[in-house]
C-alpha cells in the first residue's frame, strides 16, 4: 500500500519535473549539430520560472474560460500521468480510472479545452491556428484510435500495462502489425508535438498551429500551457517508448521506481536522437501536405489491424 | 401503476393540445407536466424505459424554454401534437398504435415547419420523406401481420419485416442513402428552435426505438447487422463532414444529428452480430449514446434561440458566463469527452467496435474495424465543427449579455446523467482497487475483461487537481488589453466560414469545392443523384424515341420477347 | 509466425509495398530510380536471410546476383545513360494521385489478403501478401503514369514482385538466377535506349498513322 503510494509519487513527480528537461536537451543537441553553442539544457525551466512571475494580460473579450482554462488543461495532463505506464511498469494509484482508450479521450479533452479557451480571446491569429488545428483533427483522432485498436487487437485487451508486458517477448515485438502500428504512432507523435517535418510550433504565421493556441496568453497562464505542452510531449513520447518501441528494462519496487526514472531518461535520449536526425535533415511540409502525412499514418495503422486480423486467423 | 402513469401522460398531453386553443401558457405548463410524468414512467421500467425517460427530460426542458421565450398558440399546439405523437409511438403495444403515433408526429411537425417561416417547400420535403418512411413501415408491418396473424408486437419467424421497416426508420433518421437530399437539415433548420430540438433529439430517436423494437421481435440477421453497421459508420463520417463545412446555424446541428444517428445505427447493427456479454455491453453503449445525444442536442438547438441570424458567419451572438459553461459542457459531451455522459457513450461505442473486431468470425471482423476508423474520423470532424459552433455562438464577438438558464441546466444535466450510465452499466466491479472505489468502474467485457473507465473519478479528481494547482500557484495579477490582430483593425474578422475553408480546400475532390472569390462546396451525393436522374431521363428519352416510337414492329418484338421471358420464368 | 526470423522477413517484405508507394507518389525521376534500387536491395537481403533459414547456397548466389544487377547495376545504368537533371519530373498531380494510390494500395491489399489467400492457401499466405501487393502496385504505376521512365520502373517492380514470390514459395533452381540476371541486363539496356528515344507516352499517340 505504502509502496504503491511512493511509486505513484515517483511517477507523477518525475513526469512533471523532468518533462521540461527533454525539449531543453533537444534544443541543445540541435544547436550543437548546427554548430552553435545553444542555450543551457535547463532553459525551459528558466522560462517557466520567469513566466510564473509575470502578470497575466488578457484580451478584452476573455471570460472565465480563458483565465482558468490553463489550470484545467494542466490538471488533465497531471491526471493522465497517473494512468499510463510512463515511468513505472505496474499499475499505480488511480490507474484504473481510465483504460488506454479513455486515456486517449483525456488527451482529446485537453486539446478541446485548449481550443475553447483560446477562442475566447477572439483574436484573428488564434482563430487561424484553431482553424488549422481542427482541420487536421479528423485524421489525428482516427489515427490515434486506430493505433489503440491495433494494440488492443494484438493483446486482446485495452489495458496499457498488459500491452507493455505482452510485447516484451521478441515474437510479439517483431510482429509486423506491431511494427506498423509503432511507425504510425511515431508519426502521430511528431504531429502532436509539432516537430519537423510538420513544425506546428513557432510563431511563424505561415505554419503555426499549436503555438497560436497560446498566442494571447501570458504570465501564469502561458507558463501552465507551456509546461502542459512539455508534459503532453513527455507522456505521448513515453507511451511510444514503453508500449511500442522499447518495452524492455523497466524495474519494479520502490528502488526500481527510482531506477526507472533514469532508465526512462536513457530511452528518451534515444528518441531525442532519432528526432534530432529528422529535425535537422528534413524540410518543412506545406500546410496541406500535413494531411498526406497523417493519411500515411492512418493507413499504416489500419494496415496493422488488417494484418493482425489476417495473421492471427 | 405503470398503466396509470401512461394514462396520466396521455390525459395531460391531450389536455395540453386542447388547452393550446385557450392559452399558450396553460398548454405549455400541461406539456411540461406530461413530460415530467413521462420521464418518471420511463424511470420506472429501465433499461428499455430509457427512451421515455430521455424524451420526458427533453420535452420538459423544451416546454420550459418555450414558456419563457415564445408566445404563439399555433406553434405551441404543434409542439404538443408532435409530443403526443411521439408518446404514442413510444408507448404503443401494437402496430396500429405505432403507425397512428408516427403519422400524428409527422403531420404536426410538417405544420410546424411550414408555419414558422410561411415557407412550405422545406415542410413539403419533410412530409415527402415522412410519408416515404410511413409507406415502408406499413408494408413491413403488413408483412409481420401476415406472419403472425396478430397486430400486436409478437415474435416473428423471419427477419424480412425487420429489414423493410429498418429502411423506413432509416429514412426518418436521414441516414446515408437519404442523406443525399439533405432533407433533414433543411427541415430541421426551418423550424423554430424548440420544435427543431424536439425533431432532432426525439423524433429521430423514435427511429432508433423502432429498429430496436423490431430487432427484439425478429430473429437475428447477420447481413442486416453488417449493413446497418456499415451505413451507420458511413453516415457518421459524412454527416460529420457536412456538419463541419455547413454554415447554417441550425442546419449544421441537423447534420450533427445525422452523425450521431449514424453511430447509434452502427450499434443497432452490432446488436445483430454479437451475443453474450458483448451484446449487453453494446446495448449499454446504445442507451448511453441515446441519452447523451438527445440531451446535448436539445440544449444546443435551444441555444440557437439566443442567436439572431441564420448564418454563423453573420449571426449576432450574445453571451453570459453561465451560458458559456452550459454550452461548453454540451459540446464537450457531443465531442465525446469525459467526464460527461457523451464521453462514456463514445468510449463505449469505440470499445464495442474494438471488441467486435476481436470476437467476430474471421471475414466479418473487418467490418467493425472499418466502421471504427470511419467513426474515428467522424469524431474528429465533429469535434472541430462543434468548436466552430461554440466559438461563434458563445465565445467570440459578443453583442451583449443574454443569459439562458436553460443552457446551464442542460449542460449540467450531461454531468448528472452520468449516474444513469452507472445504472445501465452491465458490469460493475465491487472491488475497490488502487484507490478507485465507490463501485465506480464501468468495465467492458467480451468473454474476458477488456477495459474500464471511472467517469465519476475523473469528475472528482480532475477539479481537485486543478484546485490544488490553482492554490499552489498563488495569486495572479490580471490586466485587460486589446488583442493584436496584425494591424487589421476591428473591421476584419476571421469568420466561421473562413474557419472551415481549410477543409473545403483540402477535400475539394470530395466536397466539389469551386475556388474563386468565395469557396463553395456542394453535396457530392446530391450531385451523384442529379447525374443519375439526368442520365436516366436521357436514357428513357433515347429508349422511347428509338423503340417506343409507335412503330408497330417494335411493339410486336417487345410483346414476343416479353412472352418468351414470362414463359422462361414460369417454366 | 512463431519464429522471429520469419517475422523479420515479413517486416522486410512489408517495406517493398512501402517503397512502391514512394515511387508512386514521386514525380521526380532521380529519387524514384534510387528507391527502386533500394527495393531490390531489400529483396537481396531477404534472399540472404532465407539462406540462414534453409542453408541452401543458391539463396546466396541469388542474393548476390540481385545485389549486383538489380540493386546496383540497374539504377546505375539508368541514371548514367539517361542523365536526368535533378529537376526532371513528370507532369502529374502528385497530391491527388497520392490519395488515389493510397486507396488503391489499401483496397488491393484487402482484396489480396481476403478474397484470394485466406480462401485458397490458408496456411502459407503470409509470404505471398507483400509480393502480390507489390505486383498490383507495379501494374498501377504503369497504368497511372505516362512517362517512359515510370513505365520501366513499373516493369522492374513487377519483376521484383515475381522474384520475391519465387524466393518465398520455392527453393530457387539455378535457372531463376540466370533469368534474373539476363532479364535485368536486357531490360536495362533496352529500356535506357527507349527512354533516351522517347520520354513520354500519350494515350492515343500509338494509334496515329
Amino acid at each position: 500500500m505504502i509502496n504503491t503510494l511512493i511509486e505513484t509519487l515517483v511517477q507523477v513527480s518525475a513526469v512533471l519535473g523532468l518533462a521540461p528537461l527533454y525539449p531543453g536537451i533537444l534544443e541543445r543537441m540541435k544547436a550543437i549539430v548546427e554548430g552553435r553553442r545553444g542555450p543551457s539544457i535547463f532553459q525551459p525551466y528558466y522560462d517557466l520560472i520567469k513566466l510564473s512571475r509575470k502578470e497575466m494580460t488578457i484580451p478584452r473579450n476573455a471570460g472565465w474560460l480563458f483565465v482558468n482554462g490553463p489550470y484545467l488543461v494542466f490538471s488533465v495532463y497531471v491526471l493522465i500521468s497517473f494512468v499510463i505506464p510512463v515511468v513505472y511498469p505496474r499499475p499505480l494509484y488511480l490507474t484504473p480510472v481510465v483504460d488506454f482508450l479513455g486515456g486517449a479521450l483525456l488527451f482529446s479533452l485537453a486539446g478541446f479545452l485548449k481550443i475553447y479557451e483560446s477562442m475566447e480571446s477572439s483574436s484573428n491569429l488564434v482563430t487561424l491556428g484553431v482553424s488549422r488545428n481542427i482541420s487536421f483533427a479528423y485524421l489525428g483522432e482516427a489515427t490515434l484510435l486506430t493505433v489503440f485498436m491495433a494494440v488492443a487487437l494484438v493483446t486482446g485487451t485495452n489495458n496499457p500495462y498488459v500491452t507493455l508486458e505482452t510485447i516484451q517477448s521478441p515474437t510479439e515485438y517483431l510482429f509486423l502489425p506491431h511494427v506498423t502500428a509503432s511507425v504510425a504512432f511515431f508519426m502521430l507523435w511528431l504531429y502532436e508535438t509539432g516537430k519537423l517535418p510538420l513544425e506546428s510550433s513557432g510563431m511563424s504565421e505561415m505554419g503555426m498551429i499549436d503555438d497560436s493556441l497560446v498566442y494571447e496568453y501570458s504570465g501564469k497562464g502561458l507558463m501552465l500551457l507551456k509546461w502542459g505542452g512539455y508534459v503532453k510531449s513527455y507522456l505521448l513520447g513515453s507511451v511510444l517508448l514503453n508500449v511500442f518501441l522499447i518495452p524492455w528494462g523497466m524495474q519494479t519496487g520502490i528502488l526500481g521506481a527510482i531506477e526507472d526514472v533514469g532508465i526512462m531518461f536513457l530511452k528518451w535520449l534515444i528518441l531525442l536522437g532519432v528526432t534530432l536526425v529528422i529535425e535537422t535533415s528534413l524540410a518543412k511540409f506545406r500546410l496541406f501536405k500535413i494531411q498526406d502525412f497523417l493519411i500515411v499514418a492512418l493507413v499504416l495503422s489500419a494496415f496493422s489491424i488488417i494484418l493482425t486480423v489476417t495473421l492471427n486467423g | 401503476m405503470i398503466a396509470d402513469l401512461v394514462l396520466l401522460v396521455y390525459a395531460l398531453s391531450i389536455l395540453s393540445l386542447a388547452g393550446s386553443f385557450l392559452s399558450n401558457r396553460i398548454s405549455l405548463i400541461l406539456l411540461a407536466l406530461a413530460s415530467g410524468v413521462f420521464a418518471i414512467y420511463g424511470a420506472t421500467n429501465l433499461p428499455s424505459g430509457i427512451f421515455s425517460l430521455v424524451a420526458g427530460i427533453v420535452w420538459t426542458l423544451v416546454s420550459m424554454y418555450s414558456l419563457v421565450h415564445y408566445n404563439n398558440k399555433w406553434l405551441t399546439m404543434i409542439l404538443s401534437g408532435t409530443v403526443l405523437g411521439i408518446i404514442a409511438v413510444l408507448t404503443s403495444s401494437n402496430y396500429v398504435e405505432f403507425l397512428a403515433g408516427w403519422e400524428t408526429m409527422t403531420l404536426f411537425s410538417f405544420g410546424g415547419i411550414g408555419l414558422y417561416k410561411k415557407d412550405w417547400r422545406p415542410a413539403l420535403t419533410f412530409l415527402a420523406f415522412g410519408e416515404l418512411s410511413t409507406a415502408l413501415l406499413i408494408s413491413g408491418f403488413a408483412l409481420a401481420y401476415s406472419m403472425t396473424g396478430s397486430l400486436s408486437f409478437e415474435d416473428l419467424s423471419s427477419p424480412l419485416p425487420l429489414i423493410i421497416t429498418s429502411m423506413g426508420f432509416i429514412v426518418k433518421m436521414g441516414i446515408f442513402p437519404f442523406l443525399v437530399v439533405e432533407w433533414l437539415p433543411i427541415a430541421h433548420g426551418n423550424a423554430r428552435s424548440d420544435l427543431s430540438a424536439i425533431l432532432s433529439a426525439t423524433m429521430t430517436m423514435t427511429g432508433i426505438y423502432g429498429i430496436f423494437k423490431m430487432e427484439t421481435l425478429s430473429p437475428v440477421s447477420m447481413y442486416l447487422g453488417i449493413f446497418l453497421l456499415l451505413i451507420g459508420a458511413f453516415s457518421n463520417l459524412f454527416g460529420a463532414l457536412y456538419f463541419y463545412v455547413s454554415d447554417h446555424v441550425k442546419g449544421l446541428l441537423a447534420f450533427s444529428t445525422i452523425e450521431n444517428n449514424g453511430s447509434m445505427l452502427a450499434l443497432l447493427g452490432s446488436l445483430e452480430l454479437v451475443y453474450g456479454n458483448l451484446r449487453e455491453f453494446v446495448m449499454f453503449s446504445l442507451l448511453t449514446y441515446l441519452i447523451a445525444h438527445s440531451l446535448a442536442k436539445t440544449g444546443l438547438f435551444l441555444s440557437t434561440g439566443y442567436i439572431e441570424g441564420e448564418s454563423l458567419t453573420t449571426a449576432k451572438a450574445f453571451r453570459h458566463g453561465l451560458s458559456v459553461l452550459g454550452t461548453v459542457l454540451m459540446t464537450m459531451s457531443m465531442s465525446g469527452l469525459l467526464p460527461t455522459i457523451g464521453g462514456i457513450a463514445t468510449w463505449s461505442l469505440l470499445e464495442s467496435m474494438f471488441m467486435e473486431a476481436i470476437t467476430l468470425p474471421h471475414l466479418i471482423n473487418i467490418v467493425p474495424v472499418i466502421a471504427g476508423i470511419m467513426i474515428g474520423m467522424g469524431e474528429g470532424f465533429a469535434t472541430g465543427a462543434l468548436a466552430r459552433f461554440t466559438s461563434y455562438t458563445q465565445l467570440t464577438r459578443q453583442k451583449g449579455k443574454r443569459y439562458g438558464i436553460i443552457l446551464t441546466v442542460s449542460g449540467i444535466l450531461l454531468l448528472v446523467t452520468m449516474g444513469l450510465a452507472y445504472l445501465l452499466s452491465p458490469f460493475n466491479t465491487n472491488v475497490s482497487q488502487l484507490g478507485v472505489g465507490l463501485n465506480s468502474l464501468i468495465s467492458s467485457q467480451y468473454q474476458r475483461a477488456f477495459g474500464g473507465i471511472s467517469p465519476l473519478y475523473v469528475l472528482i479528481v480532475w477539479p481537485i487537481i486543478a484546485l490544488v494547482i490553482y492554490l499552489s500557484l498563488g495569486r495572479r495579477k490580471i490586466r485587460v488589453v486589446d488583442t493584436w490582430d496584425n494591424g487589421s483593425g476591428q473591421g476584419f474578422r476571421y469568420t466561421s466560414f473562413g474557419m472551415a475553408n481549410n477543409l473545403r480546400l483540402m477535400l475539394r475532390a470530395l466536397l466539389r469545392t469551386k475556388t474563386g472569390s468565395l469557396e463553395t462546396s456542394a453535396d457530392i451525393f446530391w450531385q451523384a443523384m442529379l447525374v443519375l436522374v439526368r442520365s436516366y431521363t436521357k436514357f428513357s428519352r433515347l429508349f422511347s424515341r428509338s423503340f417506343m416510337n409507335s412503330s408497330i414492329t417494335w411493339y410486336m418484338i417487345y410483346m414476343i420477347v416479353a412472352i418468351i421471358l414470362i414463359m422462361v420464368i414460369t417454366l | 509466425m512463431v519464429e522471429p526470423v520469419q517475422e523479420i522477413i515479413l517486416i522486410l517484405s512489408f517495406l517493398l509495398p512501402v517503397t512502391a508507394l514512394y515511387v508512386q507518389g514521386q514525380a521526380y525521376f532521380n529519387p524514384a530510380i534510387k528507391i527502386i534500387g533500394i527495393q531490390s536491395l531489400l529483396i537481396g537481403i531477404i534472399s540472404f536471410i532465407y539462406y540462414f533459414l534453409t542453408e541452401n547456397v543458391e539463396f546466396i548466389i541469388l542474393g548476390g546476383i540481385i545485389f549486383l544487377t538489380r540493386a546496383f547495376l540497374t539504377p546505375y545504368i539508368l541514371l548514367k545513360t539517361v542523365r536526368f537533371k535533378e529537376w526532371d519530373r513528370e507532369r502529374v498531380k502528385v497530391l491527388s494521385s497520392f490519395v488515389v494510390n493510397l486507396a488503391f494500395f489499401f483496397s488491393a491489399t484487402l482484396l489480396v489478403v481476403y478474397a484470394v489467400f485466406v480462401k485458397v492457401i490458408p496456411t502459407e499466405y503470409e509470404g505471398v501478401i507483400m509480393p502480390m501487393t507489390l505486383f498490383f502496385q507495379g501494374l498501377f504505376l504503369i497504368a497511372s503514369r505516362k512517362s517512359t521512365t515510370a513505365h520501366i520502373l513499373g516493369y522492374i517492380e513487377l519483376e521484383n514482385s515475381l522474384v520475391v514470390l519465387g524466393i518465398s514459395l520455392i527453393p530457387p533452381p539455378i535457372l531463376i538466377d540466370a533469368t534474373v540476371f539476363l532479364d535485368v541486363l536486357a531490360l536495362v539496356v533496352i529500356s535506357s535506349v527507349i527512354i533516351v528515344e522517347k520520354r513520354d507516352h500519350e494515350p492515343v499517340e500509338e494509334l496515329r498513322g
Side-chain angles (χ1 to χ4, degrees):
Chain A
M1 163 116 188
I2 195 83
N3 288 2
T4 321
L5 191 64
I6 294 172
E7 287 152 11
T8 314
L9 282 178
V10 169
Q11 165 150 324
V12 175
S13 47
V15 170
L16 297 184
L18 291 182
L21 183 62
Y22 299 108
I25 295 176
L26 183 63
E27 267 317 303
R28 187 64 191 264
M29 280 158 84
K30 254 200 299 204
I32 292 170
V33 170
E34 288 165 358
R36 296 182 281 125
R37 246 187 90 218
S40 147
I41 56 168
F42 300 110
Q43 190 58 41
Y45 292 102
Y46 302 149
D47 287 346
L48 292 180
I49 293 168
K50 179 187 73 185
L51 285 171
S52 74
R53 293 195 190 123
K54 299 250 175 193
E55 70 173 347
M56 262 175 103
T57 55
I58 64 167
R60 206 162 291 288
N61 188 52
W64 64 269
L65 186 60
F66 184 90
V67 179
N68 297 309
Y71 296 88
L72 293 172
V73 172
F74 189 77
S75 43
V76 173
Y77 289 130
V78 175
L79 180 59
I80 299 173
S81 61
F82 281 93
V83 297
I84 46 182
V86 284
V87 172
Y88 191 72
R90 295 259 183 285
L92 301 167
Y93 273 111
L94 293 182
T95 297
V97 167
V98 288
D99 56 14
F100 222 169
L101 180 62
L105 290 182
L106 284 184
F107 273 112
S108 316
L109 174 64
F112 169 92
L113 283 171
K114 257 172 116 169
I115 288 176
Y116 277 55
E117 66 187 25
S118 63
M119 275 310 286
E120 233 191 359
S121 68
S122 255
S123 153
N124 284 351
L125 283 172
V126 170
T127 317
L128 175 89
V130 168
S131 154
R132 289 173 180 174
N133 188 317
I134 59 176
S135 51
F136 300 120
Y138 77 105
L139 289 170
E141 291 215 1
T143 313
L144 195 64
L145 294 175
T146 326
V147 166
F148 285 171
M149 199 195 276
V151 175
L153 276 182
V154 173
T155 56
T157 164
N158 201 1
N159 182 335
Y161 293 89
V162 176
T163 312
L164 171 64
E165 275 183 19
T166 314
I167 63 159
Q168 283 181 0
S169 86
T171 45
E172 290 290 343
Y173 183 77
L174 285 174
F175 193 38
L176 179 58
H178 177 250
V179 176
T180 51
S182 305
V183 175
F185 195 77
F186 180 66
M187 292 171 83
L188 192 69
W189 181 73
L190 286 180
Y191 166 70
E192 288 281 344
T193 54
K195 302 268 188 297
L196 274 174
L198 309 166
E199 198 174 31
S200 57
S201 58
M203 286 293 182
S204 151
E205 238 177 86
M206 299 303 287
M208 76 174 179
I209 300 177
D210 280 349
D211 273 6
S212 72
L213 298 190
V214 301
Y215 190 72
E216 289 295 335
Y217 274 99
S218 51
K220 289 206 169 87
L222 184 57
M223 180 202 86
L224 281 174
L225 287 175
K226 279 207 167 214
W227 195 0
Y230 298 143
V231 173
K232 174 191 178 188
S233 170
Y234 178 83
L235 290 172
L236 281 174
S238 303
V239 170
L240 175 66
L241 285 170
N242 278 352
V243 181
F244 290 94
L245 295 182
I246 317 171
W248 305 286
M250 306 305 283
Q251 307 299 315
T252 54
I254 294 181
L255 271 179
I258 297 165
E259 278 172 40
D260 281 338
V261 178
I263 293 167
M264 280 312 291
F265 184 75
L266 294 178
K267 287 188 186 179
W268 260 92
L269 285 185
I270 298 172
L271 185 60
L272 288 180
V274 176
T275 318
L276 179 70
V277 173
I278 291 174
E279 286 236 306
T280 47
S281 58
L282 288 183
K284 188 181 171 309
F285 277 176
R286 276 183 292 134
L287 185 67
F288 287 178
K289 277 277 178 185
I290 295 178
Q291 182 180 231
D292 287 352
F293 180 87
L294 287 173
I295 286 181
V296 172
L298 178 64
V299 167
L300 277 179
S301 52
F303 202 89
S304 155
I305 296 182
I306 292 171
L307 276 176
T308 320
V309 166
T310 330
L311 297 180
N312 276 347
Chain B
M1 164 69 185
I2 288 174
D4 291 346
L5 276 180
V6 176
L7 273 182
L8 185 59
V9 172
Y10 270 110
L12 281 171
S13 53
I14 290 170
L15 273 179
S16 156
L17 188 60
S20 63
F21 291 102
L22 299 171
S23 151
N24 180 51
R25 188 161 296 228
I26 293 173
S27 164
L28 281 172
I29 290 173
L30 283 170
L31 186 63
L33 278 177
S35 321
V37 178
F38 197 52
I40 294 167
Y41 157 73
T44 49
N45 59 343
L46 288 177
S48 62
I50 209 85
F51 291 94
S52 314
L53 177 59
V54 170
I57 297 175
V58 167
W59 299 332
T60 316
L61 285 175
V62 169
S63 44
M64 299 285 198
Y65 171 86
S66 312
L67 191 64
V68 178
H69 290 94
Y70 298 127
N71 191 8
N72 181 332
K73 274 190 210 168
W74 290 106
L75 287 175
T76 304
M77 186 189 86
I78 274 158
L79 214 58
S80 332
T82 313
V83 165
L84 181 64
I86 300 177
I87 291 175
V89 168
L90 291 182
T91 55
S92 61
S93 57
N94 60 47
Y95 296 124
V96 179
E97 277 175 33
F98 192 101
L99 276 176
W102 193 261
E103 269 307 282
T104 318
M105 158 180 112
T106 308
L107 288 175
F108 271 106
S109 30
F110 160 72
I113 295 166
L115 272 181
Y116 178 51
K117 281 194 191 151
K118 307 281 186 291
D119 176 10
W120 290 90
R121 261 183 75 97
L124 283 170
T125 325
F126 176 82
L127 190 68
F129 279 92
E131 294 310 317
L132 174 61
S133 92
T134 311
L136 282 165
L137 289 194
I138 291 177
S139 43
F141 288 161
L143 197 64
Y145 174 67
S146 71
M147 277 174 189
T148 57
S150 146
L151 275 173
S152 56
F153 292 130
E154 278 178 18
D155 285 350
L156 302 166
S157 54
S158 141
L160 202 58
L162 168 63
I163 293 171
I164 295 173
T165 50
S166 293
M167 297 303 131
F169 291 123
I170 286 173
V171 174
K172 201 70 175 174
M173 284 147 60
I175 293 293
F176 162 60
F178 309 100
L179 176 94
V180 291
V181 280
E182 296 181 357
W183 72 271
L184 198 131
I186 291 170
H188 294 193
N190 277 293
R192 200 172 71 180
S193 290
D194 50 351
L195 185 62
S196 303
I198 288 192
L199 294 184
S200 253
T202 52
M203 184 193 273
T204 58
M205 188 183 83
T206 54
I208 305 281
Y209 174 76
I211 299 181
F212 182 73
K213 186 91 193 169
M214 291 305 286
E215 275 186 358
T216 52
L217 300 177
S218 309
V220 174
S221 154
M222 200 177 71
Y223 293 107
L224 182 71
I226 293 174
F227 175 70
L228 291 184
L229 186 52
L230 279 180
I231 65 160
F234 190 80
S235 304
N236 178 298
L237 177 58
F238 277 86
L241 175 59
Y242 290 116
F243 178 21
Y244 193 100
V245 294
S246 168
D247 210 47
H248 186 281
V249 173
K250 281 187 223 161
L252 179 145
L253 290 175
F255 275 122
S256 154
T257 301
I258 295 177
E259 178 225 335
N260 283 283
N261 280 334
S263 306
M264 286 188 262
L265 198 66
L267 285 168
L268 283 170
S270 308
L271 277 181
E272 293 283 283
L273 296 173
V274 295
Y275 53 88
N277 275 349
L278 186 48
R279 193 183 150 85
E280 277 180 48
F281 187 75
V282 171
M283 185 92 97
F284 160 73
S285 163
L286 174 68
L287 297 180
T288 328
Y289 214 103
L290 194 89
I291 303 170
H293 169 240
S294 298
L295 293 184
K297 191 48 67 59
T298 309
L300 288 181
F301 263 116
L302 294 185
S303 82
T304 61
Y306 296 101
I307 302 164
E308 288 170 9
E310 291 209 327
S311 152
L312 263 188
T313 299
T314 55
K316 278 187 195 161
F318 302 87
R319 70 172 199 164
H320 184 276
L322 285 172
S323 317
V324 170
L325 174 68
T327 317
V328 169
L329 280 174
M330 285 185 277
T331 41
M332 199 192 233
S333 173
M334 293 288 286
S335 315
L337 299 169
L338 292 170
T340 54
I341 179 105
I344 307 173
T346 305
W347 170 80
S348 54
L349 166 69
L350 291 168
E351 207 100 320
S352 309
M353 295 295 144
F354 286 16
M355 288 190 286
E356 278 165 39
I358 294 174
T359 49
L360 286 182
H362 195 54
L363 276 164
I364 302 166
N365 57 6
I366 207 77
V367 176
V369 169
I370 292 169
I373 296 174
M374 285 200 276
I375 289 173
M377 290 169 92
E379 288 292 329
F381 281 133
T383 309
L386 285 162
R388 196 163 59 91
F389 177 80
T390 322
S391 298
Y392 287 94
T393 57
Q394 291 289 340
L395 300 178
T396 60
R397 283 191 317 178
Q398 86 267 44
K399 290 281 180 293
K401 287 206 169 188
R402 194 183 279 182
Y403 176 46
I405 190 166
I406 207 93
L407 300 184
T408 321
V409 170
S410 25
I412 303 285
L413 259 181
L414 292 165
L415 292 176
V416 176
T417 42
M418 191 171 63
L420 271 179
Y422 278 110
L423 270 183
L424 294 170
S425 160
F427 321 108
N428 283 334
T429 40
N430 287 316
V431 207
S432 161
Q433 38 180 322
L434 294 168
V436 180
L438 298 176
N439 198 2
S440 72
L441 210 61
I442 297 177
S443 65
S444 56
Q445 300 176 1
Y446 48 111
Q447 282 87 343
R448 61 200 190 97
F450 186 70
I453 51 167
S454 171
L456 184 64
Y457 261 70
V458 177
L459 185 62
I460 297 170
V461 176
W462 178 34
I464 289 178
I465 297 176
L467 197 64
V468 168
I469 291 168
Y470 180 78
L471 293 177
S472 57
L473 281 181
R475 259 165 46 81
R476 54 194 183 197
K477 254 186 4 205
I478 292 179
R479 189 158 56 91
V480 176
V481 294
D482 282 318
T483 51
W484 163 247
D485 280 342
N486 263 19
S488 64
Q490 288 302 307
F492 292 106
R493 281 274 162 223
Y494 208 107
T495 60
S496 152
F497 189 84
M499 210 166 154
N501 245 359
N502 284 345
L503 208 69
R504 282 196 194 95
L505 292 173
M506 285 193 313
L507 299 180
R508 58 179 167 273
L510 200 61
L511 291 166
R512 320 303 308 163
T513 307
K514 294 189 175 57
T515 46
S517 59
L518 194 69
E519 280 78 11
T520 49
S521 307
D523 183 343
I524 192 172
F525 298 107
W526 184 221
Q527 288 196 339
M529 188 91 145
L530 277 182
V531 168
L532 264 180
V533 167
R534 277 200 206 111
S535 49
Y536 177 73
T537 358
K538 220 185 211 169
F539 166 76
S540 52
R541 195 179 298 142
L542 192 76
F543 190 79
S544 61
R545 289 219 180 117
S546 39
F547 301 110
M548 300 296 177
N549 50 2
S550 68
S551 124
I552 199 78
T553 349
W554 280 111
Y555 280 117
M556 291 303 292
I557 293 172
Y558 169 71
M559 286 310 205
I560 292 166
V561 170
I563 284 177
I564 292 172
L565 267 179
I566 289 168
M567 281 172 71
V568 167
I569 291 168
T570 45
L571 286 176
Chain C
M1 196 198 80
V2 265
E3 295 251 355
V5 185
Q6 291 277 7
E7 291 190 342
I8 291 173
I9 290 174
L10 197 59
I11 292 171
L12 282 177
S13 48
F14 175 68
L15 290 176
L16 300 176
V18 173
T19 49
L21 190 70
Y22 180 85
V23 173
Q24 179 76 48
Q26 183 60 265
Y28 293 87
F29 294 128
N30 278 343
I33 294 172
K34 282 173 193 160
I35 283 291
I36 286 288
I38 290 174
Q39 192 180 71
S40 313
L41 192 75
L42 287 169
I43 298 174
I45 296 171
I46 292 174
S47 177
F48 280 137
I49 296 177
Y50 264 100
Y51 166 71
F52 291 113
L53 214 60
T54 58
E55 304 211 335
N56 184 347
V57 193
E58 291 202 8
F59 280 112
I60 288 273
I61 301 171
L62 185 62
I65 292 175
I66 290 171
F67 272 142
L68 184 70
T69 58
R70 289 185 165 268
F72 174 68
L73 223 50
T74 315
Y76 184 77
I77 294 176
L78 274 179
L79 287 174
K80 277 293 155 192
T81 49
V82 190
R83 285 210 194 82
F84 287 115
K85 302 285 187 296
E86 283 294 312
W87 56 86
D88 270 343
R89 61 167 286 172
E90 190 183 339
R91 292 272 147 231
V92 283
K93 277 188 186 169
V94 176
L95 187 103
S96 56
S97 73
F98 186 70
V99 177
V100 170
N101 178 37
L102 276 174
F104 175 81
F105 171 53
F106 200 49
S107 42
T109 316
L110 266 180
L111 188 94
V112 168
V113 169
Y114 276 98
V116 187
F117 294 106
V118 177
K119 296 270 177 191
V120 183
I121 2 173
T123 46
E124 294 180 24
Y125 56 85
E126 275 179 40
V128 189
I129 301 171
M130 299 308 163
M132 283 308 276
T133 314
L134 184 62
F135 188 81
F136 283 116
Q137 281 180 305
L139 284 178
F140 185 61
L141 182 63
I142 296 172
S144 65
R145 296 289 196 84
K146 59 180 186 185
S147 73
T148 316
T149 318
H151 288 182
I152 302 288
L153 295 182
Y155 289 127
I156 299 180
E157 267 179 25
L158 288 182
E159 285 202 348
N160 275 351
S161 72
L162 292 180
V163 172
V164 190
L165 213 58
I167 290 176
S168 57
L169 284 186
I170 37 168
I174 203 81
L175 190 64
I176 291 187
D177 306 2
T179 42
V180 165
F181 187 70
L182 290 175
D183 237 21
V184 167
L185 280 189
L187 181 81
V188 168
V189 172
I190 295 168
S191 60
S192 39
V193 171
I194 296 174
I195 295 176
V196 173
E197 285 283 305
K198 189 172 175 188
R199 295 214 164 177
D200 282 338
H201 285 260
E202 293 299 331
V204 283
E205 214 170 78
E206 313 291 331
L207 299 176
R208 289 201 199 110

